[in-house]
Amino acid sequence: MAKWWRSLRTAIQSPQQPLSPPQPFQSSRYHTIQAIPREVVGSRVSAREREQGRIPAVVFSQSLLDINPSNRYTSRKRLLTTEKKQIQAILKSVELPFFCSTTFPLQIRAGTGSSVLLESGTVLPIKIHRDEKTGKILNLVFAWADEGTEMKVDVPVVFKGEENCPGLKKGGHLKMMRSTLKYLCPAEHIPQKIEMDISNLDIDDGLFMRDIEVHSSLKLLSKNENMPVCKIVATNLDTPESTALNLESSEPAEKQPAECL
């Protein structure tokens, strides 16, 4: 890391490169994340960074997390520091919980306020680590999301059409089996969210993974596309028969990803 930094410090200042055009499924209104390299690590150093209004961060290739070592290629791991104020502004502009399904331009500069651009690219947030007691951000984890890179993403599911749903008008309620769905996506086609229309569902009707329409380049990472995502159920489910039907319709619990925020 230190060798990489020393070599880049000699870079000749050049005009800033234009940002990539807006990508499908992503909004162009989000800020470009500004960061500077950090060479020294450790809890004390990180605590001092936070006291000075900065947030430690790391960015690497998502393949570094693959359980199969043969699938891990060059990680491009960079230890960085970001500005707390900018990160907070970005979080306010992104409708939760869509932060970890939204890509952002990243610019790594030689220092705070420097015009020397060391490296740039597109990143996808993977995790925000927060203090369990205070909720303050401790550090950020990003993955490089260069165009053409395939990434595994937990995409939030949202529902629309509640106001017209016959089952809800009859007193039923929406039972959600999945709040996110994992897809293998080209970085340029990562959907920020998946909308499912429930406006035609009656009592005991539901929507399944097979009902979801997404970009043709996306691959659903599920063993069974016939599993339900949601169902309109009657309010009174106290009978043994109804309980059995609910248990039968539910997919065995999968390990859900840790909350991004």
Side-chain angles (χ1 to χ4, degrees):
M1 178 66 191
K3 183 178 179 181
W4 170 81
W5 166 233
R6 286 195 298 269
S7 63
L8 285 175
R9 290 181 65 181
T10 61
I12 299 176
Q13 181 176 346
S14 58
Q16 179 178 337
Q17 295 298 318
L19 298 179
S20 301
Q23 299 176 355
F25 303 103
Q26 300 291 343
S27 172
S28 60
R29 72 179 183 273
Y30 299 123
H31 302 281
T32 296
I33 297 175
Q34 300 291 335
I36 60 175
R38 60 185 173 100
E39 297 183 21
V40 183
V41 297
S43 58
R44 292 183 179 180
V45 176
S46 296
R48 187 164 59 248
E49 292 279 0
R50 297 184 196 105
E51 291 174 357
Q52 297 174 352
R54 295 189 288 268
I55 301 176
V58 61
V59 57
F60 48 73
S61 295
Q62 196 182 51
S63 65
L64 191 64
L65 302 176
D66 200 297
I67 59 175
N68 186 350
S70 63
N71 293 335
R72 301 173 189 167
Y73 48 86
T74 305
S75 68
R76 284 180 65 196
K77 185 175 181 179
R78 304 287 186 262
L79 300 177
L80 307 171
T81 296
T82 59
E83 291 293 333
K84 179 180 178 179
K85 289 183 178 180
Q86 189 197 30
I87 297 301
Q88 289 178 331
I90 292 174
L91 290 175
K92 288 181 180 179
S93 70
V94 179
E95 189 178 356
L96 301 179
F98 310 126
F99 183 68
C100 285
S101 55
T102 303
T103 57
F104 297 86
L106 170 70
Q107 294 182 346
I108 305 174
R109 297 190 176 275
T112 303
S114 174
S115 60
V116 179
L117 182 63
L118 304 178
E119 188 174 4
S120 64
T122 303
V123 295
L124 175 74
I126 293 180
K127 179 69 177 177
I128 294 182
H129 293 281
R130 293 182 182 268
D131 185 282
E132 293 182 357
K133 295 181 179 179
T134 65
K136 292 182 179 180
I137 300 175
L138 298 178
N139 54 67
L140 304 167
V141 182
F142 300 97
W144 291 110
D146 300 320
E147 184 174 351
T149 303
E150 289 195 328
M151 310 191 72
K152 295 179 181 179
V153 184
D154 291 295
V155 184
V157 178
V158 297
F159 301 97
K160 64 179 182 178
E162 290 95 336
E163 66 280 1
N164 298 319
C165 177
L168 296 181
K169 290 182 177 181
K170 293 177 182 178
H173 69 272
L174 175 64
K175 181 178 181 180
M176 295 175 55
M177 284 81 161
R178 291 288 179 272
S179 60
T180 64
L181 293 173
K182 186 179 288 292
Y183 281 88
L184 183 65
C185 320
E188 64 271 22
H189 288 152
I190 296 174
Q192 191 181 58
K193 60 185 176 181
I194 291 175
E195 290 188 332
M196 301 192 75
D197 189 352
I198 65 170
S199 60
N200 295 318
L201 299 186
D202 209 331
I203 299 290
D204 290 333
D205 289 342
L207 294 175
F208 299 82
M209 293 184 181
R210 65 173 182 268
D211 298 323
I212 300 173
E213 295 183 2
V214 294
H215 193 273
S216 60
S217 63
L218 273 61
K219 179 181 179 182
L220 179 64
L221 297 179
S222 174
K223 297 179 180 179
N224 189 348
E225 294 188 354
N226 293 319
M227 291 300 175
V229 178
C230 71
K231 183 179 180 181
I232 305 297
V233 297
T235 301
N236 295 323
L237 297 176
D238 297 330
T239 64
E241 181 180 354
S242 298
T243 302
L245 287 173
N246 279 331
L247 293 174
E248 184 178 324
S249 65
S250 299
E251 181 181 4
E254 295 179 354
K255 184 178 180 181
Q256 294 294 314
E259 288 188 6
C260 178
L261 296 174

